């Protein structure tokens, strides 16, 4: 059971009075928890079956705007309802809020009760089913990086996001002393998430002032995505409770390192590691080689799902540990894909392209789809690259801008076959809209550069 409470447990807590609130949530296109706060008595009596939400919630942007151009949801069709169907295996305590539990929902069509095709959780479930039909289970881990700031979200917003001071004064990569100073926030994050049923491994200081990483033990793909979304939400709430802000923006300052979300991936058959074959180089099975060949070949097609905003592409820079090329290597952090756990049962591939702003359901789904295609077509894996991959002129670049990634997404016959035209068109529109919004803005940089001198 991925949650911490069965439905019967929840009912007992509600009748004892120890739980009075149930957060009924689904994950939107941006990977955020959206939903309603139910009185727990109402939830256990009736709303556990379903509740409803406006269908604009899977066609909005970070600002809750209602962009035009979506076939599924628009003013012409009147913005009707979706069904939010609680997945009762995901009920868990929310230990950082008093008397509160949380449940994740699948999003269904109001009339047919079929999954909404562009709902992130439905997109991932579909690829998991395709993988299961081939006999495999995927296990994944998404390492989540973020920055912790001295001030609170409200103070920072009121100061127009200027003078941002990270909590530390220096690069704290693996530092124990500096991270001790941050335990006021980081310890409750680890402990509350652990008590909420997330298999927390550790947190650590990362390679920049104020930068943190949270590691959650690898898990079946759907659980991994659920954990990621809950953890990201919890980190914001717990930081807020302590008067601090965090950001998952991949690049909040031009001179600071960006934040990523590397995705570790392996396939399993009946509990055995399908990626491991001790007789082959690196202990990499044929299945793993095919899977990686698919991942690498289609990376330009699916980069949008690893880097969904204009800002995401500011992270991809030479010499920063953020990759620019779709090649693989063995334990080398300059390539887009890194083979980890060489010659062990834990041999796996880490995709290093994704930023801390990725939606884990979408990112995992498109990478599974690419791996499945590699396995189905028995694609051959090119030899590993070595050395500084940033300087490898022969290696394929990942799209360098949101505009370029939007076009590879739009034109991807592979993704259209794997996800469906409706889903690709929906997310292509989301990508276009993000660019359109950015293009309308006059930035501080343009003013400072040209005001006097242009
Ligand atoms: P490193 O310190 O080199 O980044 P870790 O040992 O911390 O490596 O592992 C990184 C992530 O990989 C962890 O979240 C871990 O749970 C995950 N992981 C370990 N083994 C596997 C595996 N077989 N498949 C997928 N993820 C894995």
């Amino acid at each position: 059971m991925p949650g911490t409470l069965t439905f019967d447990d929840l009912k007992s807590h509600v009748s004892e009075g120890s739980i009075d609130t149930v957060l009924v949530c689904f994950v939107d296109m941006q990977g955020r928890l959206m939903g309603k706060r139910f009185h727990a008595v109402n939830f256990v009596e009736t709303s556990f079956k379903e509740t409803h939400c406006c269908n604009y919630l899977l066609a909005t942007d970070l600002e809750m705007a209602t962009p035009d151009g979506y076939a599924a949801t628009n003013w012409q069709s009147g913005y009707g309802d979706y069904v939010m169907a609680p997945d009762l295996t995901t009920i868990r305590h929310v230990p950082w809020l008093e008397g509160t539990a949380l449940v994740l929902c699948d999003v269904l069509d109001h009339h047919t009760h079929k999954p909404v095709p562009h709902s992130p959780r439905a997109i991932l479930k579909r690829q998991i089913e395709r993988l299961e039909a081939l006999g495999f289970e995927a296990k994944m881990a998404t390492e989540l990086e973020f920055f912790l700031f001295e001030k609170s979200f409200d103070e920072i917003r009121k100061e127009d996001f200027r003078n941002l001071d990270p909590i530390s004064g220096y690069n704290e990569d693996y530092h124990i002393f500096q991270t001790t100073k941050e335990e006021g926030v980081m310890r409750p994050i680890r402990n509350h998430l652990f008590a909420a049923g997330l298999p927390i491994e550790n947190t650590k200081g990362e390679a920049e002032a104020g930068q943190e990483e949270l590691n959650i033990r690898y898990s079946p793909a759907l659980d991994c995505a659920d954990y990621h979304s809950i953890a990201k939400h919890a980190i914001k709430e717990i930081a807020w409770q302590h008067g601090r802000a965090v950001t998952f923006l991949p690049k909040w300052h031009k001179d600071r390192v960006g934040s990523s979300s590397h995705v570790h991936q392996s396939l399993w058959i009946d509990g055995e590691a399908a990626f491991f074959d001790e007789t082959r180089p690196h202990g990499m099975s044929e299945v793993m080689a095919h899977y990686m060949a698919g991942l690498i070949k289609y990376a330009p097609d699916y980069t949008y799902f690893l880097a969904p905003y204009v800002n995401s592409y500011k992270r991809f820079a030479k010499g920063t540990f953020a990759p620019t090329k779709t090649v693989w290597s063995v334990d080398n952090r300059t390539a887009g894909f890194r083979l980890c756990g060489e010659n062990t049962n834990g041999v796996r591939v880490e995709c290093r392209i994704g930023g801390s702003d990725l939606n884990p359901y979408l990112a995992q789904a498109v990478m599974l789809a690419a791996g499945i295609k590699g396995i189905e077509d028995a694609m051959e894996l090119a030899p590993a690259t070595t050395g500084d991959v940033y300087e490898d002129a022969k290696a394929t670049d990942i799209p360098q801008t949101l505009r370029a990634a939007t076009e590879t997404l739009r034109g991807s016959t592979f993704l259209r076959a794997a996800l469906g035209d409706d889903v690709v068109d929906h997310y292509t529109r989301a990508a276009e809209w993000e660019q359109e919004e950015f293009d309308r803005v006059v930035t501080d940089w343009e003013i400072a550069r040209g005001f006097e001198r242009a």
Side-chain angles (χ1 to χ4, degrees):
M1 184 185 68
T4 51
L5 295 167
T6 64
F7 188 47
D8 283 340
D9 293 337
L10 177 65
K11 284 196 246 178
S12 311
H13 280 285
V14 175
S15 57
E16 284 159 16
S18 56
I19 290 182
D20 56 60
T21 300
V22 181
L23 307 180
V24 179
C25 309
F26 72 95
V27 177
D28 74 0
M29 291 163 71
Q30 290 75 20
R32 300 175 293 187
L33 297 189
M34 291 288 176
K36 305 178 189 174
R37 311 180 98 90
F38 274 84
H39 195 286
V41 171
N42 176 283
F43 181 79
V44 296
E45 282 178 358
T46 54
S47 302
F48 71 91
K49 291 187 208 129
E50 65 177 55
T51 181
H52 305 101
C53 64
C54 175
N55 69 17
Y56 96 118
L57 290 170
L58 288 177
T60 183
D61 65 4
L62 285 169
E63 296 275 15
M64 310 307 291
T66 50
D68 59 6
Y70 286 112
T73 315
N74 46 52
W75 289 110
Q76 290 74 33
S77 58
Y79 284 114
D81 263 358
Y82 282 144
V83 170
M84 295 168 59
D87 174 347
L88 298 181
T89 69
T90 67
I91 305 173
R92 66 189 69 244
H93 289 285
V94 180
W96 61 97
L97 298 177
E98 216 177 311
T100 302
L102 178 153
V103 66
L104 292 173
C105 296
D106 291 306
V107 184
L108 310 180
D109 183 277
H110 196 193
H111 307 287
T112 65
H113 274 67
K114 292 215 173 95
V116 171
H118 54 275
S119 149
R121 212 162 183 260
I123 291 173
L124 178 56
K125 280 184 160 184
R126 187 166 161 204
Q127 298 310 314
I128 291 172
E129 278 165 20
R130 290 184 63 213
L131 190 73
E132 280 170 359
L134 295 177
F136 299 109
E137 182 191 24
K139 292 193 181 173
M140 303 222 183
T142 54
E143 299 171 309
L144 197 48
E145 291 177 356
F146 56 97
F147 278 82
L148 180 57
F149 291 89
E150 273 181 3
K151 292 183 183 164
S152 70
F153 285 119
D154 289 339
E155 285 172 285
I156 288 174
R157 186 182 310 104
K158 283 175 189 157
E159 292 173 9
D160 286 334
F161 304 95
R162 289 175 198 280
N163 309 321
L164 295 174
D165 292 316
I167 196 145
S168 133
Y170 50 80
N171 177 331
E172 58 182 283
D173 203 16
Y174 294 96
H175 281 222
I176 296 299
F177 179 38
Q178 176 55 37
T179 52
T180 294
K181 296 190 235 166
E182 297 156 6
E183 279 292 82
V185 181
M186 299 306 294
R187 182 166 176 246
I189 287 175
R190 288 192 307 275
N191 288 344
H192 284 322
L193 285 173
F194 191 84
L198 276 64
I200 299 303
E201 288 184 337
N202 55 58
T203 57
K204 66 179 275 295
E206 262 298 322
E208 184 55 272
Q211 195 176 27
E212 318 287 339
E213 179 179 273
L214 172 73
N215 287 300
I216 303 173
R217 186 175 158 77
Y218 66 102
S219 313
L222 187 66
D223 294 344
C224 170
D226 288 349
Y227 294 158
H228 179 118
S229 310
I230 292 166
K232 186 170 169 184
H233 179 85
I235 290 167
K236 290 183 183 179
E237 283 195 356
I238 294 167
W240 168 79
Q241 286 176 331
H242 289 81
R244 308 280 191 199
V246 290
T247 189
F248 291 88
L249 199 64
K251 194 82 174 173
W252 67 272
H253 190 287
K254 70 180 177 55
D255 299 327
R256 309 277 183 154
V257 164
S259 292
S260 59
S261 178
H262 300 156
V263 184
H264 288 251
Q265 310 169 42
S266 58
L267 298 191
W268 299 75
I269 302 179
D270 299 330
E272 298 290 323
F275 273 8
F276 182 48
D277 181 347
E278 60 189 356
T279 66
R280 289 172 43 96
H282 314 298
M284 182 202 301
S285 70
E286 253 183 279
V287 167
M288 180 173 181
H290 296 323
Y291 184 95
M292 277 178 68
L295 268 188
I296 291 167
K297 169 159 185 198
Y298 294 109
D301 294 45
Y302 63 72
T303 294
Y304 165 71
F305 292 107
L306 302 179
Y309 304 113
V310 172
N311 180 264
S312 316
Y313 295 81
K314 305 271 162 84
R315 191 183 130 249
F316 300 135
K318 268 189 184 180
T320 61
F321 294 109
T324 57
K325 308 275 187 183
T326 78
V327 290
W328 74 282
S329 64
V330 182
D331 201 13
N332 173 334
R333 287 187 162 83
T334 66
F337 299 90
R338 180 167 76 114
L339 181 138
C340 303
E342 190 181 13
N343 291 318
T344 71
N345 202 45
V347 65
R348 59 191 183 274
V349 55
E350 174 197 43
C351 172
R352 300 177 56 81
I353 300 172
S356 46
D357 54 347
L358 60 69
N359 177 324
Y361 299 87
L362 302 175
Q364 291 183 47
V366 291
M367 288 195 277
L368 279 181
I372 289 170
K373 180 86 173 130
I375 294 172
E376 284 175 344
D377 294 355
M379 286 173 55
E380 202 166 320
L381 182 64
T385 50
T386 51
D388 181 354
V389 176
Y390 291 115
E391 299 301 336
D392 185 347
K394 290 199 298 298
T396 307
D397 284 320
I398 52 176
Q400 298 295 300
T401 60
L402 178 60
R403 240 183 260 283
T406 306
E407 293 318 313
T408 50
L409 169 63
R410 190 197 311 278
S412 174
T413 48
F414 144 68
L415 281 177
R416 287 182 178 280
L419 307 183
D421 281 328
D422 48 352
V423 172
V424 171
D425 290 341
H426 192 86
Y427 284 91
T428 302
R429 181 64 196 130
E432 282 173 348
W433 172 257
E434 204 59 31
Q435 187 69 52
E436 286 167 18
E437 285 295 273
F438 180 78
D439 289 345
R440 287 193 311 112
V441 173
V442 177
T443 65
D444 291 355
W445 181 87
E446 291 163 273
I447 303 292
R449 192 173 174 95
F451 187 85
E452 182 174 333
R453 291 166 291 177

